[in-house]
Amino acid sequence: MVENRITEDAKKRLDSLFESYSIIADDTFVFICDMKYDFSRWSKNLVESFGLPSEYMYGAGDIWEGYIHEDDRQAYHEGMDAIFAGKQAGHDMQYRAKRPDGEYDICTCRGTVLKDELGIPEYFCGSIRNHSQRSQIDTLTGLRNQYGFFSDLQSYIRNKTPIRIGMAGIGKLTEINEVYGYHAGNQILQVFGRFLMDNVANRGGTYRLDGSRFAIISTVQSEEELSQSYEEIRAYFRKGINIDGLDIILELNAGILSLDEFNVDDQTVYSCLNFAYQDSKSNKHGDLVAFRTELTNESRKKIEMLHAIRASITKGFKGFYLLYQPVVDADTEKVIGAEALLRWKNDEYGVVPPDMFIPFIEADPLFPELGEWIIKTALDDARKIQTYLPDLKINVNLSYAQLERSDFADVVWDTIEKADYDPKNMCLEITERCRLLDMDLLRNVIVTLRAGGVRFALDDFGTGYSSIGLIKDLPFDTIKIDRSFVQHIEQDEKEKRLLNKFTEMAGIFGADVCVEGIETSGMRDIIRTYGVHSFQGYFYSKPLPIDEFIDKVKSGADCLAKPI
Ligand code: C2E
Ligand code: CA
Ligand code: CA
């Protein structure tokens, strides 16, 4: 018989039983129900990951039933009825349970009934193992891994606990592995993780995120304290650590972020932190980079904006749209193509240019979805323009995060097929940031897609230090020269000579040259003497909404040669 309210004593007993049951593996949760009161305590982690009302619940079985997939519900219900009716001494079943994001996780639930000295069922206790949830422990270092990191971060955000988060990584770990062997590399990771834990995160958590990157979350230390700790750690590892009798010097990189506002999600926070970390690695020789501008207000706004942008992706790409900038033939000045340029707009932030958000979100797991949307939208729009200009080529910008996906080429083919599009009229632009990718993988993608007719352009040629390496290693149809190289060409001799070299170089590799940023007729007149193939720039047109692009094409018969 279920009585009304649990007594203090009974609750204490339940708690002490719960504590002793709670020594568990990290992807397994426990529950204990005092059957007399039908009052239960469930693992906090389980309560949080499924969004249950509370750790303590009356009628937990019924509440949980509401989370179970409808196809599995009846079996669960019958099992629970049998237990509470004393007909069954336990259960062992699998079912799907719904998470707050609407996805289902497969869980195994094992429970047994404990009887009192009179043989009356007293407690129903057991464990729930979530098979979809991966382990939160990194086996090499024993630290919590990235799943643990995200789970903790989510709970800090949910509980509105102000935190400082640091991301620190060991530079050149790949080389260290190659030179000293994996065993040494592994020991370094263990030593580093241990050191972080002992020296920084004694009042927070230490995590190994992936490869050589670690994170710490602190609820008590200030940015200054963490920054000082980082300098100490850096100095310590720079002196060299002894591994198997060898002195190995380590260089570190680090980013930090303060979270005092909670109108954000964990992925956005992670992207911002990662951005600071990458900045430290690529531009600051490992100096600690804080994700903030001087005004904390501004950084908060930025994080919130990125959050809103992320949310737009999940809401059917609301607010995203593409503008099209004409590409004209350098001799005839007729429109031969259009470059699709992404924008995002919402009531609060207005129109946000791509430079303001793409670099921050391209490492986000959602980004490839947006990339797919861009390709699809650009092809559909290009079809519309082709009604008036049948040979128009559409250029679409890619991020390295899209190319990294093993199914990228398939996704492009699928989109081309669905849009019933001629692949020869599509050109994918990549920047030299792609050198971050595995070169064999990148070459494979380019070669596969080019074999089907798709063209490739190397964007912003000359701005990165490995542009020449890239055109040597990968087959490009077009090299796009960044506007920074031609901005002063009317006055600057050096720019003329540089352009000459660039066009020669493109010629060696059989690529066309497109020059960006043509702003005046003077620039056009000079640049076209270098035998470049096409132009883009405000002199011809700023990026336009699709309707305006079509109107212009229509009114100018087949070209936009008239500068605007
Ligand atoms: P980008 O690919 O080099 O694009 C050219 C940029 O130069 C565009 O800026 C364009 O509006 C601007 N531009 C064109 N002509 C002139 C000119 O005569 N003078 C000046 N001052 N600027 C000119 P926008 O649209 O702000 O895009 C900035 C960057 O954002 C792009 O540089 C590209 O790297 C990135 N981006 C834009 N759309 C996408 C996209 O769909 N996907 C990805 N991954 N990146 C994108
Ligand atoms: Ca581009
Ligand atoms: Ca460019």
Side-chain angles (χ1 to χ4, degrees):
M1 209 26 10
V2 174
E3 299 196 0
N4 263 347
R5 305 268 336 152
I6 192 161
T7 62
E8 267 309 303
D9 279 353
K11 181 163 181 285
K12 266 197 198 131
R13 187 122 193 260
L14 177 97
D15 276 337
S16 76
L17 259 176
F18 186 87
E19 308 301 344
S20 53
Y21 263 75
S22 293
I23 311 152
I24 42 159
D26 68 303
D27 56 350
T28 307
F29 311 107
V30 286
F31 61 86
I32 295 189
C33 172
D34 184 326
M35 294 172 78
K36 187 167 157 201
Y37 302 98
D38 192 5
F39 180 82
S40 311
R41 180 166 171 191
W42 287 41
S43 288
K44 198 158 175 252
N45 285 346
L46 180 73
V47 168
E48 287 182 348
S49 60
F50 285 96
L52 283 158
S54 157
E55 271 179 84
Y56 294 97
M57 291 175 278
Y58 284 100
D62 289 343
I63 297 175
W64 187 229
E65 191 173 314
Y67 288 72
I68 291 176
H69 194 288
E70 52 182 349
D71 294 349
D72 304 337
R73 207 172 280 162
Q74 194 175 349
Y76 170 84
H77 189 88
E78 285 167 5
M80 290 304 285
D81 269 359
I83 286 167
F84 273 76
K87 291 187 198 141
Q88 222 173 318
H91 80 174
D92 182 348
M93 61 188 307
Q94 261 198 16
Y95 47 69
R96 286 158 289 178
K98 194 174 183 172
R99 290 199 314 253
D101 63 6
E103 297 287 318
Y104 284 90
D105 282 354
I106 295 175
C107 299
T108 301
C109 178
R110 295 207 170 92
T112 65
V113 173
L114 302 181
K115 295 182 175 162
D116 67 11
E117 57 278 13
L118 301 173
I120 298 170
E122 194 178 15
Y123 292 103
F124 175 48
C125 48
S127 64
I128 294 176
R129 196 177 145 88
N130 184 344
H131 297 278
S132 311
Q133 181 167 22
R134 283 169 263 198
S135 162
Q136 297 194 350
I137 302 296
D138 172 53
T139 44
L140 179 67
T141 59
L143 299 174
R144 283 167 77 62
N145 62 16
Q146 55 172 308
Y147 301 110
F149 173 80
F150 280 112
S151 152
D152 290 358
L153 182 55
Q154 282 159 6
S155 95
Y156 285 121
I157 293 174
R158 207 168 26 240
N159 298 326
K160 302 198 186 324
T161 310
I163 46 172
R164 316 296 123 211
I165 319 169
M167 184 188 282
I170 302 166
K172 302 204 172 26
L173 190 69
T174 318
E175 282 90 331
I176 291 172
N177 280 330
E178 275 165 16
V179 177
Y180 301 104
Y182 275 98
H183 185 60
N186 284 347
Q187 283 186 65
I188 289 173
L189 289 167
Q190 285 167 336
V191 169
F192 185 70
R194 184 79 228 171
F195 199 89
L196 268 189
M197 193 168 143
D198 291 345
N199 288 277
V200 201
N202 45 359
R203 285 164 295 171
T206 316
Y207 311 81
R208 177 168 176 225
L209 296 177
D210 54 33
S212 64
R213 292 188 312 163
F214 293 74
I216 54 143
I217 299 183
S218 172
T219 51
V220 287
Q221 285 146 300
S222 65
E223 270 195 26
E224 289 68 35
E225 285 171 294
L226 288 175
S227 164
Q228 201 187 335
S229 303
Y230 174 63
E231 287 314 326
E232 286 162 19
I233 295 172
R234 212 175 161 196
Y236 177 84
F237 285 100
R238 208 173 241 169
K239 274 196 243 139
I241 54 167
N242 193 285
I243 301 284
D244 291 341
L246 293 165
D247 260 337
I248 303 180
I249 291 173
L250 300 180
E251 284 297 338
L252 310 180
N253 309 298
I256 190 170
L257 179 146
S258 287
L259 190 66
D260 300 298
E261 293 286 333
F262 302 95
N263 196 11
V264 291
D265 63 292
D266 52 323
Q267 276 297 339
T268 307
V269 171
Y270 177 76
S271 299
C272 296
L273 181 65
N274 193 35
F275 185 81
Y277 176 83
Q278 293 301 339
D279 192 26
S280 160
K281 186 173 167 186
S282 313
N283 308 318
K284 303 282 173 7
H285 306 288
D287 287 351
L288 183 73
V289 174
F291 183 86
R292 72 185 143 87
T293 46
E294 280 329 292
L295 299 166
T296 44
N297 223 1
E298 223 175 88
S299 82
R300 193 196 71 212
K301 263 205 108 132
K302 177 130 206 175
I303 296 183
E304 281 179 7
M305 182 186 87
L306 293 174
H307 178 74
I309 291 177
R310 267 198 109 242
S312 296
I313 301 179
T314 56
K315 283 186 208 133
F317 310 99
K318 194 165 171 273
F320 286 103
Y321 60 97
L322 295 176
L323 294 181
Y324 296 91
Q325 186 177 38
V327 177
V328 304
D329 182 284
D331 293 327
T332 65
E333 296 189 307
K334 289 192 175 187
V335 177
I336 52 174
E339 176 173 3
L341 294 159
L342 185 66
R343 296 288 182 273
W344 181 77
K345 183 179 165 186
N346 98 343
D347 292 344
E348 197 178 340
Y349 301 99
V351 177
V352 184
D355 292 344
M356 293 277 292
F357 64 88
I358 291 182
F360 300 96
I361 62 167
E362 67 183 348
D364 194 295
L366 280 178
F367 192 83
E369 244 177 82
L370 176 64
E372 231 171 274
W373 177 88
I374 295 170
I375 299 175
K376 181 185 173 309
T377 310
L379 292 193
D380 289 346
D381 283 346
R383 291 283 310 236
K384 291 180 200 150
I385 308 174
Q386 284 164 357
T387 315
Y388 308 96
L389 272 179
D391 294 328
L392 174 115
K393 296 202 166 28
I394 190 83
N395 284 33
V396 180
N397 292 286
L398 298 179
S399 272
Y400 74 92
Q402 288 169 273
L403 285 154
E404 202 172 35
R405 298 269 298 238
S406 54
D407 62 349
F408 178 73
D410 294 340
V411 167
V412 173
W413 280 129
D414 248 30
T415 319
I416 287 176
E417 256 166 41
K418 282 200 191 110
D420 190 18
Y421 196 86
D422 181 355
K424 287 190 197 57
N425 287 334
M426 170 175 189
C427 177
L428 297 175
E429 297 193 4
I430 66 179
T431 64
E432 63 88 44
R433 282 201 68 198
C434 291
R435 70 170 198 280
L436 296 173
L437 298 172
D438 181 75
M439 267 301 132
D440 290 333
L441 180 140
L442 186 58
R443 192 177 307 107
N444 241 330
V445 171
I446 297 185
V447 169
T448 310
L449 288 170
R450 275 184 99 238
V454 175
R455 287 157 206 263
F456 275 84
L458 178 59
D459 202 359
D460 302 339
F461 182 76
T463 55
Y465 56 81
S466 50
S467 299
I468 297 174
L470 275 184
I471 55 166
K472 195 168 147 285
D473 287 347
L474 302 171
F476 288 105
D477 301 276
T478 303
I479 305 298
K480 295 188 78 171
I481 298 185
D482 190 64
R483 52 183 282 272
S484 58
F485 292 104
V486 293
Q487 237 165 352
H488 310 106
I489 202 154
E490 288 172 79
Q491 312 86 19
D492 189 341
E493 269 311 304
K494 282 198 231 78
E495 285 195 357
K496 289 185 189 145
R497 287 169 54 194
L498 209 50
L499 179 63
N500 193 29
K501 286 285 167 241
F502 283 173
T503 51
E504 266 180 31
M505 217 171 325
I508 295 174
F509 296 101
D512 287 341
V513 173
C514 172
V515 178
E516 297 181 303
I518 306 286
E519 290 184 348
T520 63
S521 57
M523 287 172 80
R524 170 199 61 189
D525 294 341
I526 293 172
I527 294 171
R528 68 170 21 158
T529 63
Y530 291 88
V532 308
H533 179 259
S534 55
F535 288 147
Q536 225 179 307
Y538 293 172
F539 175 65
Y540 295 101
S541 170
K542 288 200 168 174
L544 302 170
I546 175 72
D547 295 342
E548 279 180 42
F549 194 105
I550 290 175
D551 283 349
K552 282 212 178 288
V553 169
K554 278 206 273 190
S555 69
D558 64 345
C559 80
L560 280 175
K562 297 178 245 37
I564 31 177

